[in-house]
Amino acid sequence: MKRAFGFLLMSAIIIAACTSKNGEGRSENAAEETQSPALPVDFERAVPPVMVTEPHDYLIAHFWDKFDFTDTMYCHVPNITEQAFVDFIGLFPRASSRIKISEGVKKMLTSAEVDNVMYNYFCSTAEHYLYDPNSPMRNDEYYTPFVEHIVESSKVADDHKIRFRYLLDLLYRNRTGSKAEDFVYTMASGKTGNLYSLSAKYLLLMFYNPDCTECRHTMEMLKNSTAVADAVSSGRLKVLAVYPDKNLEAWKMHLKDIPSSWINAYDKSQAIRNNEIYDLKAIPTLYLLDRDKKVILKDTSTGDIHGYLERSR
């Protein structure tokens, strides 16, 4: 949209330059007047006062205070605006609570509502970094306040909110701190079980596909994790690997790839996929649950699982 605006703006300049008092030809300065507008310069970042006890909370709340949300040229300067956004969400892991993150996100987006181009830019950038399955920074918890703001915003058309209302429902499912959804699984022997019936201090839930290269890599990482191996051997951890798709022949061909100490199963009813009990936007998808099946880590990485188990020995 910015390119279109720029084109219309330059067209107006050219027309004005071509029109003189006597209607003759172009002005001598027409070439200069048709040059692209200067790109904006970097903005001043917030600095927490010395006496602030939670500097990261302060930075999240005030990060965009000096940013000019009316200047849509910032949308075309990724080394400033996109980098600033990455720096902004990079503060989230050190926030004192997710409430502080939500407040900071909503303050920024409310400021961005001054211009639709700017608002859409930040919303799409947030989706790219925090929800895209290929993003290493993907994090449902951090993305949730962005979607909440879109759904609540009076500046967003109702028909545009349909997708985001649906997306918000997915984000709220199996949220960190909430109880994971129960489901029935079937093992190669034909025996069935359900998530809630498994008893251990921790449960690692892995949705995978045996033909998936990244799944094989993830399984190797888990197999080589001393923290995972020690937790399994001591009985602190159970691992439930679930194949959520239909090609059982492919699954059966790779049964030996799963350690015998893990529970290897498939979703016979296809409820996980069909009813979207879990948001499987990427495969593999990993969850770490506690004894009560509350989510500790959602859509997480092998490194985060290893680190958590190491710290909880």
Side-chain angles (χ1 to χ4, degrees):
M1 291 180 67
K2 178 57 190 171
R3 288 192 180 93
F5 174 80
F7 176 79
L8 292 174
L9 175 62
M10 295 316 303
S11 297
I13 293 172
I14 292 170
I15 292 169
C18 290
T19 305
S20 63
K21 289 183 179 179
N22 58 10
E24 295 178 357
R26 295 169 57 89
S27 73
E28 294 179 358
N29 297 322
E32 293 181 5
E33 292 174 355
T34 57
Q35 289 178 354
S36 298
L39 294 177
V41 297
D42 205 351
F43 65 99
E44 183 181 346
R45 306 292 182 89
V47 178
V50 176
M51 300 302 292
V52 169
T53 57
E54 298 289 350
H56 291 90
D57 288 352
Y58 180 90
L59 289 173
I60 290 170
H62 297 280
F63 190 94
W64 302 98
D65 284 1
K66 300 294 180 67
F67 184 79
D68 184 2
F69 287 96
T70 66
D71 187 354
T72 57
M73 284 302 294
Y74 273 112
C75 300
H76 303 284
V77 193
N79 62 310
I80 295 178
T81 316
E82 188 172 340
Q83 183 59 56
F85 182 85
V86 171
D87 294 342
F88 176 59
I89 63 177
L91 296 167
F92 292 3
R94 301 185 69 178
S96 63
S97 69
R98 68 186 185 190
I99 293 175
K100 295 298 182 182
I101 295 172
S102 180
E103 290 173 348
V105 167
K106 291 179 180 181
K107 179 182 177 183
M108 179 202 53
L109 289 181
T110 298
S111 298
E113 283 182 322
V114 69
D115 189 285
N116 286 339
V117 171
M118 189 68 77
Y119 187 81
N120 291 336
Y121 171 83
F122 279 108
C123 290
S124 62
T125 302
E127 182 168 359
H128 172 71
Y129 278 99
L130 297 175
Y131 195 70
D132 189 295
N134 297 311
S135 172
M137 301 179 74
R138 185 177 78 241
N139 189 302
D140 281 5
E141 195 60 51
Y142 296 162
Y143 185 50
T144 296
F146 288 91
V147 180
E148 287 174 336
H149 194 279
I150 294 170
V151 169
E152 296 165 3
S153 175
S154 62
K155 305 290 186 180
V156 179
D158 284 341
D159 58 347
H160 187 63
K161 290 181 180 181
I162 294 172
R163 171 178 176 261
F164 289 98
R165 289 193 182 103
Y166 165 78
L167 186 55
L168 190 59
D169 181 59
L170 286 180
L171 290 169
Y172 282 162
R173 293 180 194 178
N174 309 299
R175 196 174 186 183
T176 303
S178 66
K179 198 164 184 177
E181 295 283 342
D182 195 15
F183 61 87
V184 175
Y185 60 83
T186 303
M187 295 177 284
S189 63
K191 290 184 178 181
T192 62
N194 67 294
L195 184 73
Y196 285 5
S197 67
L198 297 173
S199 178
K201 185 176 182 180
Y202 300 112
L203 174 65
L204 171 55
L205 175 59
M206 178 178 73
F207 296 103
Y208 81 104
N209 187 312
D211 292 326
C212 160
T213 301
E214 185 59 31
C215 294
R216 291 194 292 269
H217 174 70
T218 296
M219 284 190 281
E220 287 304 310
M221 294 286 287
L222 291 172
K223 290 176 188 178
N224 293 329
S225 167
T226 54
V228 170
D230 291 347
V232 170
S233 62
S234 68
R236 290 191 303 126
L237 175 72
K238 284 187 177 178
V239 181
L240 173 60
V242 179
Y243 173 60
D245 294 313
K246 297 179 179 180
N247 189 355
L248 285 186
E249 291 306 313
W251 178 71
K252 290 176 181 178
M253 287 175 59
H254 292 273
L255 289 175
K256 64 181 184 304
D257 296 341
I258 301 294
S260 58
S261 56
W262 298 7
I263 302 169
N264 189 16
Y266 68 96
D267 178 17
K268 185 176 182 179
S269 68
Q270 292 287 287
I272 294 171
R273 284 284 193 191
N274 295 339
N275 300 332
E276 296 183 303
I277 298 173
Y278 287 80
D279 182 11
L280 304 183
K281 57 181 171 291
I283 290 289
T285 297
L286 303 174
Y287 285 76
L288 185 64
L289 314 179
D290 69 8
R291 189 187 305 277
D292 298 319
K293 307 303 179 291
K294 287 185 178 179
V295 179
I296 300 171
L297 299 173
K298 177 183 179 180
D299 194 8
T300 189
S301 67
T302 55
D304 285 345
I305 290 168
H306 176 91
Y308 187 91
L309 294 174
E310 278 284 340
R311 293 190 299 273
S312 63
R313 284 179 184 272

